[in-house]
């Protein structure tokens, strides 16, 4: 069962991030703070103001950790197939290059949330799978 956690709860660490584009393309990205405990290529849970999606962390052209897309399942996030839920969410809210967003840490290294400044969200972050199961899944993907 998921614990429900409001974005203003004392256990949620919030970071201000800004929307940017990938090089000279129109593709959007969020450069994540250096202080996050996550690694490139990790697939993590991302809540878009309460809607759970999955994203694979990627590197920007400058080598910074970014989010460039979000998809409906963990498997789709790994393959990059399917509808980009992040792009749709950004478009629904009219968010453009340079706009500020709030990136919430819900479960370090695994579950995060994204919301517009001033919005309060109640998240239902998923439990992180057992690390041994994660290792097995990575071995199968290789």
């Amino acid at each position: 069962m998921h614990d429900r956690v409001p974005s203003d709860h004392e256990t949620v660490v919030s970071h201000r991030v800004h929307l940017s584009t990938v090089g000279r393309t129109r593709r959007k990205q969020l450069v994540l703070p250096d202080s996050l405990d996550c690694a490139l290529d990790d697939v993590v849970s991302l809540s878009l103001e309460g809607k759970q999606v999955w994203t694979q962390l990627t590197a920007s052209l400058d080598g910074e950790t970014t989010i460039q897309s979000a998809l409906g399942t963990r498997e789709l996030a790994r393959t990059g197939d399917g509808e980009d839920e992040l792009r749709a969410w950004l478009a629904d809210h009219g968010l453009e290059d340079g706009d500020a967003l709030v990136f919430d840490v819900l479960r370090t290294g695994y579950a995060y949330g994204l919301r517009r400044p001033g919005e309060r969200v109640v998240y239902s972050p998923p439990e992180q799978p057992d690390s041994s199961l994660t290792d097995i899944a990575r071995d199968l993907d290789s």
Side-chain angles (χ1 to χ4, degrees), residues 84-141:
D84 185 348
E85 302 282 345
L86 177 62
R87 182 181 303 202
W89 182 79
L90 295 169
D92 286 348
H93 296 295
L95 297 167
E96 298 292 331
D97 192 25
D99 286 346
L101 294 165
V102 179
F103 186 76
D104 293 324
V105 178
L106 309 175
R107 297 196 198 292
T108 302
Y110 183 70
Y112 302 93
L114 190 62
R115 60 189 167 90
R116 293 169 289 154
E119 294 293 317
R120 181 179 186 269
V121 176
V122 177
Y123 297 113
S124 295
E127 291 296 324
Q128 186 167 2
D130 183 293
S131 64
S132 61
L133 294 177
T134 304
D135 293 341
I136 291 169
R138 281 189 185 145
D139 290 343
L140 291 174
D141 285 343

